[in-house]
Amino acid sequence: MEFFLEQVINGIQLGLVYALIALGYTMVYGIVKLINFAHGDVFMVGAFVGYFGFTYWGLPWPLAIIVAMVFCAILGMVIERIAYRPLRYAPRMIALISAIGVSFFLEYFCSLKFMFGPNYRVVQRPLPEISWQIGGVTITNIQLLILVTVICMLILLLWIVHRTKIGAAMRTVSFDHDAARLMGVNVDRTISFTFALGSAMAAMGGVLYAIAYPQIQPFMGIMPGLKAFTAAVLGGIGLIPGAVLGALIMGQVETMTVAFISSQLRDAIAFAILIIVLLFKPTGILGRTETEKV
């Protein structure tokens, strides 16, 4: 029983990291209906910037996280301005191909020796790992750090979206760009802010991932990015609660698969879930089917 509960906690830890990535997917999709496949690579860049911050630049790890978030927020805005804005009203397939191109560019550019280099790097944790035994279940300070951080970020995100002027602009733009312009909303600025916010959260997820699973490399964003996308679809892409719910389910499924079935099957089962969801409930668990007027 204790082993099962420990796996549940490990699944929550993994799911919360996925949630930080999935939130970026879902916000961008909600605003511009774009699946930003480069988002997983922004997660990777955030992990490296945070790693350099607390390993080489001598920054305290909280400050390293903030630096990574700021860097990736700017990176997200640059990507949106250069690669996505000129294609905003082009067919969605073209924008999707552009997103895939940005993803490959980031992966291979960051693999160059004058950037991050192609090799794996072992991350020396910036804080010692402390474990507690509670009812026979082991809980670490790293797990608590991830839990508290993600909850705080989720509360902050919900406050921004529902209680601020820019959040109101985001919700308006998500309904109709032209109507938002007529209401005086700066659509370009709102979309840029959305990319910055999503990228900053991905960066935080990257740094936390590097601390929890202390090994990073330039292609590390591919699989977490795809699984976070699956989580966003599972919960209902475009919905913030859906992204978190889907991510927690994905974390549990992956962890339980490794613990009780086979580690080789964890990715296969994760993407089988994506196929099943798309077949039987394309709008996701919390999504609703919208009728299209003609």
Side-chain angles (χ1 to χ4, degrees), residues 92-160:
R92 291 183 186 177
M93 182 60 70
I94 295 176
L96 185 64
I97 293 171
S98 178
I100 294 172
V102 173
S103 174
F104 281 129
F105 171 79
L106 287 176
E107 289 162 10
Y108 286 96
F109 182 73
C110 291
S111 298
L112 298 175
K113 288 186 178 178
F114 67 88
M115 289 298 294
F116 304 150
N119 300 321
Y120 283 79
R121 291 173 184 261
V122 176
V123 177
Q124 297 295 325
R125 285 176 172 151
L127 67 166
E129 186 175 18
I130 302 172
S131 301
W132 299 281
Q133 290 285 333
I134 301 176
V137 178
T138 302
I139 299 176
T140 69
N141 59 335
I142 303 293
Q143 291 169 332
L144 287 179
L145 169 66
I146 292 175
L147 175 65
V148 172
T149 304
V150 173
I151 289 175
C152 291
M153 289 302 296
L154 185 59
I155 293 172
L156 176 63
L157 178 62
L158 291 173
W159 178 78
I160 290 173

Side-chain angles (χ1 to χ4, degrees), residues 24 27-28 32 34 36 38-43 45-46 49 67-86 88 99 102 106 188-203:
M27 283 194 298
V28 168
V32 292
L34 168 70
N36 180 18
H39 195 62
D41 301 293
V42 175
F43 163 86
V45 172
V49 174
V67 169
M69 292 174 71
V70 171
F71 183 89
C72 288
I74 296 171
L75 177 63
M77 288 191 292
V78 170
I79 291 172
E80 187 275 331
R81 181 65 185 87
I82 294 175
Y84 300 149
R85 189 180 298 182
R88 186 175 298 163
V102 173
L106 287 176
D188 290 340
R189 187 181 302 168
T190 303
I191 292 174
S192 290
F193 177 81
T194 304
F195 271 84
L197 186 58
S199 299
M201 299 193 76

Side-chain angles (χ1 to χ4, degrees), residues 10-11 13-15 17 123 125 142 146 208-216 220 255:
N10 291 335
Q13 171 185 319
L14 183 61
V17 175
V123 177
R125 285 176 172 151
I142 303 293
I146 292 175
L208 293 177
Y209 188 90
I211 294 174
Y213 310 97
Q215 194 176 55
I216 58 176
M220 63 175 281
T255 304

